Amino acid sequence: MKHPLTLLALGAALLLSHAARADAIDWKKVDAALGKTAMVSGEVHRYGLPRSDLHVTLDGVAIKPALALGGWVAFAPMHGEAMLMGDLVLLETEITPVMTRLLDSGLDITAIHNHILRASPATFYMHVAGHGDPEKMATAIRAALSSASKTPFDPPASTATAAPAVDLDTAKLDEAMGAKGTANGGVYQYGIPRRDPAKEGGMQVNTPLGGANAINFQPTGGGKAAITGDFLVTGNEVNPLIRALRAGDIEVTAIHSHMLAEEPRMFFVHFWANDDALKLARNVRAALDKTAVAQH
Protein backbone atom coordinates (compact mmCIF):
# COMPACT_ATOMS: atom_id res chain seq x y z
CA MET A 1 0.00 0.00 0.00
CA LYS A 2 1.27 3.45 -0.89
CA HIS A 3 2.03 5.84 1.95
CA PRO A 4 -0.62 8.63 2.36
CA LEU A 5 2.01 11.26 1.68
CA THR A 6 2.92 9.50 -1.57
CA LEU A 7 -0.74 9.50 -2.62
CA LEU A 8 -1.01 13.20 -1.82
CA ALA A 9 2.10 13.90 -3.87
CA LEU A 10 0.71 11.93 -6.83
CA GLY A 11 -2.58 13.81 -6.61
CA ALA A 12 -0.79 17.15 -6.50
CA ALA A 13 1.32 16.14 -9.51
CA LEU A 14 -1.79 15.23 -11.50
CA LEU A 15 -3.41 18.57 -10.66
CA LEU A 16 -0.24 20.43 -11.63
CA SER A 17 -0.04 18.44 -14.86
CA HIS A 18 -3.64 19.39 -15.75
CA ALA A 19 -2.95 23.05 -14.94
CA ALA A 20 0.20 22.96 -17.06
CA ARG A 21 -1.73 21.55 -20.02
CA ALA A 22 -4.38 24.26 -19.67
CA ASP A 23 -1.75 26.98 -19.29
CA ALA A 24 0.10 25.66 -22.34
CA ILE A 25 -2.57 27.13 -24.61
CA ASP A 26 -1.60 30.58 -25.86
CA TRP A 27 -5.04 32.19 -25.77
CA LYS A 28 -3.72 35.39 -27.33
CA LYS A 29 -3.03 33.41 -30.49
CA VAL A 30 -6.57 32.02 -30.41
CA ASP A 31 -7.92 35.57 -30.00
CA ALA A 32 -5.82 36.70 -32.97
CA ALA A 33 -6.95 33.77 -35.11
CA LEU A 34 -10.61 34.68 -34.59
CA GLY A 35 -10.06 38.43 -34.48
CA LYS A 36 -12.09 38.48 -31.26
CA THR A 37 -11.48 38.80 -27.54
CA ALA A 38 -12.83 35.92 -25.49
CA MET A 39 -15.14 36.11 -22.51
CA VAL A 40 -13.43 33.85 -19.97
CA SER A 41 -15.42 31.77 -17.50
CA GLY A 42 -13.23 29.44 -15.48
CA GLU A 43 -11.13 27.65 -18.11
CA VAL A 44 -13.64 28.17 -20.94
CA HIS A 45 -12.90 30.86 -23.54
CA ARG A 46 -16.07 31.89 -25.39
CA TYR A 47 -16.21 34.12 -28.47
CA GLY A 48 -19.32 35.92 -29.67
CA LEU A 49 -20.15 35.83 -33.39
CA PRO A 50 -23.34 37.93 -33.60
CA ARG A 51 -24.96 38.43 -37.01
CA SER A 52 -25.16 42.20 -36.67
CA ASP A 53 -25.12 42.38 -40.47
CA LEU A 54 -28.61 40.84 -40.72
CA HIS A 55 -31.91 42.72 -40.48
CA VAL A 56 -34.38 40.05 -39.39
CA THR A 57 -38.02 40.63 -38.49
CA LEU A 58 -40.55 38.27 -36.92
CA ASP A 59 -44.20 39.14 -36.40
CA GLY A 60 -43.31 42.81 -36.87
CA VAL A 61 -40.47 42.70 -34.31
CA ALA A 62 -36.98 43.73 -35.49
CA ILE A 63 -34.77 41.03 -33.94
CA LYS A 64 -31.73 42.33 -32.07
CA PRO A 65 -28.61 40.15 -32.41
CA ALA A 66 -28.67 39.35 -28.69
CA LEU A 67 -32.24 38.03 -28.92
CA ALA A 68 -31.83 35.33 -31.56
CA LEU A 69 -28.82 36.05 -33.81
CA GLY A 70 -25.97 35.55 -31.36
CA GLY A 71 -23.61 32.95 -32.80
CA TRP A 72 -20.68 31.80 -30.68
CA VAL A 73 -17.82 29.32 -30.31
CA ALA A 74 -16.21 28.20 -27.05
CA PHE A 75 -13.00 26.35 -26.24
CA ALA A 76 -12.32 24.30 -23.10
CA PRO A 77 -8.84 22.84 -22.35
CA MET A 78 -8.92 19.04 -22.71
CA HIS A 79 -6.05 16.52 -22.72
CA GLY A 80 -3.46 19.13 -23.59
CA GLU A 81 -5.52 20.54 -26.44
CA ALA A 82 -9.08 21.95 -26.45
CA MET A 83 -12.66 20.87 -26.99
CA LEU A 84 -14.65 23.16 -29.28
CA MET A 85 -18.41 23.69 -29.19
CA GLY A 86 -20.37 26.40 -30.99
CA ASP A 87 -23.51 27.63 -32.69
CA LEU A 88 -23.23 29.57 -35.96
CA VAL A 89 -26.08 31.72 -37.30
CA LEU A 90 -26.46 31.34 -41.06
CA LEU A 91 -28.74 32.21 -43.93
CA GLU A 92 -30.08 29.32 -45.99
CA THR A 93 -27.65 29.98 -48.85
CA GLU A 94 -24.68 29.99 -46.46
CA ILE A 95 -25.27 26.54 -44.93
CA THR A 96 -23.68 24.24 -47.51
CA PRO A 97 -20.55 26.29 -48.30
CA VAL A 98 -19.83 26.92 -44.60
CA MET A 99 -20.38 23.26 -43.77
CA THR A 100 -18.10 22.12 -46.60
CA ARG A 101 -15.25 24.32 -45.43
CA LEU A 102 -15.65 23.27 -41.79
CA LEU A 103 -15.69 19.57 -42.70
CA ASP A 104 -12.64 20.02 -44.94
CA SER A 105 -10.80 21.53 -41.95
CA GLY A 106 -11.57 18.49 -39.77
CA LEU A 107 -14.32 20.01 -37.65
CA ASP A 108 -17.61 18.22 -37.01
CA ILE A 109 -21.20 19.35 -37.58
CA THR A 110 -23.58 18.20 -34.82
CA ALA A 111 -26.87 19.86 -35.83
CA ILE A 112 -28.52 22.21 -38.34
CA HIS A 113 -31.99 23.58 -37.67
CA ASN A 114 -34.25 26.53 -37.08
CA HIS A 115 -34.75 28.18 -33.69
CA ILE A 116 -37.59 30.52 -34.65
CA LEU A 117 -40.40 30.44 -37.23
CA ARG A 118 -41.71 32.96 -39.80
CA ALA A 119 -38.58 35.14 -39.62
CA SER A 120 -37.66 37.18 -42.69
CA PRO A 121 -35.07 36.38 -43.86
CA ALA A 122 -35.09 32.84 -42.46
CA THR A 123 -32.15 32.04 -40.21
CA PHE A 124 -30.63 28.66 -39.38
CA TYR A 125 -28.25 27.47 -36.70
CA MET A 126 -25.29 25.19 -37.33
CA HIS A 127 -23.78 23.54 -34.26
CA VAL A 128 -20.10 22.67 -34.54
CA ALA A 129 -17.67 20.61 -32.49
CA GLY A 130 -14.04 19.63 -32.54
CA HIS A 131 -11.00 18.59 -30.53
CA GLY A 132 -7.46 19.68 -31.22
CA ASP A 133 -5.24 22.74 -31.44
CA PRO A 134 -7.50 25.67 -30.52
CA GLU A 135 -5.58 28.14 -32.69
CA LYS A 136 -6.03 25.89 -35.75
CA MET A 137 -9.72 25.35 -35.00
CA ALA A 138 -10.25 29.10 -34.54
CA THR A 139 -8.49 29.74 -37.86
CA ALA A 140 -10.77 27.19 -39.56
CA ILE A 141 -13.92 28.77 -38.09
CA ARG A 142 -12.94 32.23 -39.24
CA ALA A 143 -11.89 31.06 -42.71
CA ALA A 144 -15.16 29.19 -43.25
CA LEU A 145 -17.37 32.04 -42.08
CA SER A 146 -15.37 34.76 -43.85
CA SER A 147 -15.32 32.97 -47.20
CA ALA A 148 -18.84 31.52 -47.24
CA SER A 149 -20.98 33.87 -45.13
CA LYS A 150 -21.18 37.55 -44.27
CA THR A 151 -20.60 37.00 -40.55
CA PRO A 152 -18.84 40.19 -39.35
CA PHE A 153 -15.38 39.92 -37.83
CA ASP A 154 -14.35 43.57 -37.90
CA PRO A 155 -14.81 45.32 -34.56
CA PRO A 156 -17.84 47.62 -34.48
CA ALA A 157 -17.15 51.26 -35.24
CA SER A 158 -16.47 53.14 -32.01
CA THR A 159 -19.22 55.55 -31.13
CA ALA A 160 -20.06 57.69 -28.16
CA THR A 161 -23.58 56.31 -27.91
CA ALA A 162 -24.49 54.30 -24.83
CA ALA A 163 -25.66 50.70 -24.99
CA PRO A 164 -29.40 50.43 -25.73
CA ALA A 165 -31.50 50.59 -22.59
CA VAL A 166 -33.75 47.69 -21.63
CA ASP A 167 -37.17 49.31 -21.26
CA LEU A 168 -38.53 46.73 -18.82
CA ASP A 169 -38.88 46.45 -15.04
CA THR A 170 -35.94 44.09 -14.73
CA ALA A 171 -36.22 43.84 -10.92
CA LYS A 172 -39.74 42.45 -11.26
CA LEU A 173 -38.61 40.16 -14.07
CA ASP A 174 -35.85 38.80 -11.82
CA GLU A 175 -38.39 38.22 -9.05
CA ALA A 176 -40.76 36.38 -11.38
CA MET A 177 -37.96 34.31 -12.92
CA GLY A 178 -36.29 33.52 -9.59
CA ALA A 179 -32.96 34.43 -11.17
CA LYS A 180 -30.77 37.43 -11.96
CA GLY A 181 -30.58 38.50 -15.59
CA THR A 182 -28.07 40.66 -17.43
CA ALA A 183 -28.54 43.37 -20.05
CA ASN A 184 -26.81 42.76 -23.38
CA GLY A 185 -27.34 44.86 -26.50
CA GLY A 186 -30.84 46.01 -25.52
CA VAL A 187 -31.92 42.48 -24.51
CA TYR A 188 -32.37 41.13 -20.97
CA GLN A 189 -30.87 37.64 -20.77
CA TYR A 190 -31.03 34.72 -18.35
CA GLY A 191 -28.75 31.69 -18.30
CA ILE A 192 -30.22 29.18 -15.85
CA PRO A 193 -28.16 25.99 -15.48
CA ARG A 194 -29.49 22.51 -14.89
CA ARG A 195 -29.08 20.91 -11.49
CA ASP A 196 -26.87 18.16 -12.97
CA PRO A 197 -25.18 19.31 -16.20
CA ALA A 198 -24.66 16.83 -19.01
CA LYS A 199 -21.19 15.58 -19.94
CA GLU A 200 -19.68 15.02 -23.35
CA GLY A 201 -16.28 13.42 -23.88
CA GLY A 202 -15.94 13.27 -20.10
CA MET A 203 -16.27 17.06 -19.80
CA GLN A 204 -19.12 18.90 -18.13
CA VAL A 205 -21.16 20.92 -20.63
CA ASN A 206 -21.42 24.03 -18.47
CA THR A 207 -23.12 27.36 -19.15
CA PRO A 208 -20.42 28.93 -21.40
CA LEU A 209 -20.40 25.73 -23.48
CA GLY A 210 -24.14 26.05 -24.11
CA GLY A 211 -25.31 23.94 -21.18
CA ALA A 212 -27.94 26.24 -19.66
CA ASN A 213 -31.52 27.30 -20.25
CA ALA A 214 -31.27 30.55 -22.24
CA ILE A 215 -34.19 32.96 -21.85
CA ASN A 216 -34.06 36.34 -23.64
CA PHE A 217 -36.44 39.32 -23.31
CA GLN A 218 -36.44 42.12 -25.91
CA PRO A 219 -38.70 45.10 -25.09
CA THR A 220 -41.40 45.77 -27.67
CA GLY A 221 -43.10 48.73 -25.92
CA GLY A 222 -45.76 49.25 -23.28
CA GLY A 223 -44.30 46.72 -20.85
CA LYS A 224 -44.35 43.99 -23.50
CA ALA A 225 -41.43 41.86 -24.62
CA ALA A 226 -40.57 39.39 -27.32
CA ILE A 227 -39.02 36.29 -25.77
CA THR A 228 -37.03 33.45 -27.27
CA GLY A 229 -34.20 31.11 -26.37
CA ASP A 230 -34.03 27.45 -25.48
CA PHE A 231 -34.75 25.08 -22.63
CA LEU A 232 -32.30 22.23 -22.02
CA VAL A 233 -34.15 19.08 -20.93
CA THR A 234 -34.03 15.31 -20.75
CA GLY A 235 -36.43 13.25 -22.86
CA ASN A 236 -38.91 12.65 -20.05
CA GLU A 237 -39.10 16.41 -19.41
CA VAL A 238 -39.94 17.44 -22.99
CA ASN A 239 -43.71 17.02 -22.92
CA PRO A 240 -44.33 18.38 -19.39
CA LEU A 241 -42.31 21.43 -20.44
CA ILE A 242 -44.08 22.06 -23.74
CA ARG A 243 -47.51 21.54 -22.14
CA ALA A 244 -46.59 24.23 -19.59
CA LEU A 245 -45.39 26.56 -22.36
CA ARG A 246 -48.58 26.15 -24.39
CA ALA A 247 -50.69 26.69 -21.26
CA GLY A 248 -48.83 29.99 -20.91
CA ASP A 249 -49.52 31.02 -24.54
CA ILE A 250 -45.87 30.56 -25.48
CA GLU A 251 -45.25 29.09 -28.94
CA VAL A 252 -42.95 26.05 -29.20
CA THR A 253 -40.86 26.54 -32.36
CA ALA A 254 -38.36 23.66 -32.34
CA ILE A 255 -37.39 20.50 -30.42
CA HIS A 256 -34.05 18.92 -31.27
CA SER A 257 -30.54 17.95 -30.19
CA HIS A 258 -27.45 20.15 -30.33
CA MET A 259 -24.85 17.50 -29.42
CA LEU A 260 -24.17 13.90 -30.50
CA ALA A 261 -22.70 11.97 -27.56
CA GLU A 262 -23.74 13.77 -24.38
CA GLU A 263 -24.77 11.88 -21.25
CA PRO A 264 -27.58 11.95 -20.34
CA ARG A 265 -29.25 12.59 -23.73
CA MET A 266 -30.45 16.20 -23.88
CA PHE A 267 -32.99 18.04 -26.01
CA PHE A 268 -33.32 21.76 -26.71
CA VAL A 269 -36.80 23.28 -26.83
CA HIS A 270 -37.03 26.68 -28.55
CA PHE A 271 -39.91 29.10 -28.09
CA TRP A 272 -41.39 32.48 -29.02
CA ALA A 273 -43.95 34.94 -27.65
CA ASN A 274 -44.58 38.68 -27.66
CA ASP A 275 -46.76 39.71 -24.71
CA ASP A 276 -46.73 41.36 -21.30
CA ALA A 277 -43.19 40.78 -20.03
CA LEU A 278 -44.11 39.92 -16.42
CA LYS A 279 -46.82 37.51 -17.55
CA LEU A 280 -44.30 35.79 -19.82
CA ALA A 281 -41.69 35.65 -17.05
CA ARG A 282 -44.14 33.96 -14.69
CA ASN A 283 -45.15 31.46 -17.39
CA VAL A 284 -41.52 30.73 -18.30
CA ARG A 285 -40.76 30.11 -14.63
CA ALA A 286 -43.72 27.71 -14.38
CA ALA A 287 -42.32 25.83 -17.38
CA LEU A 288 -38.79 25.76 -15.91
CA ASP A 289 -40.19 24.24 -12.73
CA LYS A 290 -41.18 21.18 -14.77
CA THR A 291 -37.48 20.50 -15.29
CA ALA A 292 -34.44 19.77 -13.13
CA VAL A 293 -33.00 23.28 -13.01
CA ALA A 294 -30.51 24.48 -10.45
CA GLN A 295 -32.17 26.37 -7.65
CA HIS A 296 -31.06 29.94 -7.00
Side-chain angles (χ1 to χ4, degrees):
M1 178 179 289
K2 293 184 183 294
H3 191 279
L5 289 177
T6 303
L7 293 174
L8 285 172
L10 286 171
L14 287 171
L15 287 173
L16 287 171
S17 174
H18 175 76
R21 288 196 301 268
D23 292 343
I25 296 174
D26 188 338
W27 291 108
K28 289 184 178 179
K29 289 185 178 179
V30 182
D31 289 356
L34 268 172
K36 302 276 186 179
T37 301
M39 291 185 62
V40 182
S41 178
E43 289 190 334
V44 177
H45 288 238
R46 179 172 168 132
Y47 299 83
L49 298 169
R51 289 304 299 264
S52 55
D53 60 306
L54 298 178
H55 302 283
V56 180
T57 60
L58 170 52
D59 295 346
V61 177
I63 303 293
K64 294 182 181 295
L67 182 68
L69 304 172
W72 57 273
V73 291
F75 299 85
M78 183 180 184
H79 307 314
E81 296 178 308
M83 180 175 76
L84 162 73
M85 298 183 78
D87 185 7
L88 311 177
V89 182
L90 300 171
L91 296 175
E92 186 173 4
T93 55
E94 297 171 341
I95 292 173
T96 297
V98 168
M99 178 194 297
T100 300
R101 285 165 174 80
L102 292 174
L103 293 173
D104 287 347
S105 72
L107 295 178
D108 293 331
I109 308 301
T110 62
I112 302 171
H113 45 231
N114 66 289
H115 287 179
I116 51 179
L117 302 172
R118 303 182 303 281
S120 180
T123 51
F124 296 86
Y125 302 80
M126 180 181 291
H127 294 266
V128 298
H131 179 254
D133 182 324
E135 183 184 356
K136 290 181 179 178
M137 291 191 292
T139 299
I141 291 283
R142 182 170 185 178
L145 291 177
S146 296
S147 63
S149 84
K150 294 184 178 179
T151 303
F153 282 90
D154 293 334
S158 58
T159 64
T161 59
V166 176
D167 185 21
L168 296 169
D169 189 333
T170 56
K172 287 186 177 179
L173 286 181
D174 288 348
E175 182 180 0
M177 288 287 294
K180 177 64 178 174
T182 57
N184 176 24
V187 175
Y188 201 61
Q189 300 181 321
Y190 293 91
I192 300 176
R194 286 186 61 82
R195 186 170 59 234
D196 299 305
K199 290 185 177 181
E200 181 156 15
M203 288 198 67
Q204 188 179 94
V205 183
N206 56 20
T207 297
L209 287 172
N213 298 276
I215 319 292
N216 301 327
F217 288 74
Q218 178 179 314
T220 55
K224 296 176 67 176
I227 63 167
T228 192
D230 54 6
F231 296 87
L232 175 57
V233 295
T234 54
N236 64 314
E237 294 172 335
V238 170
N239 277 281
L241 170 71
I242 65 176
R243 285 190 171 97
L245 291 172
R246 292 305 301 127
D249 291 326
I250 297 172
E251 182 180 15
V252 176
T253 58
I255 303 171
H256 48 227
S257 61
H258 287 183
M259 299 172 280
L260 296 177
E262 76 281 9
E263 296 180 357
R265 192 81 173 110
M266 304 302 299
F267 297 88
F268 292 77
V269 178
H270 298 266
F271 59 94
W272 169 265
N274 182 16
D275 204 340
D276 178 81
L278 290 178
K279 169 190 167 184
L280 292 176
R282 288 190 289 267
N283 291 344
V284 165
R285 184 69 236 186
L288 277 170
D289 288 340
K290 300 293 185 182
T291 74
V293 293
Q295 297 302 311
H296 288 256

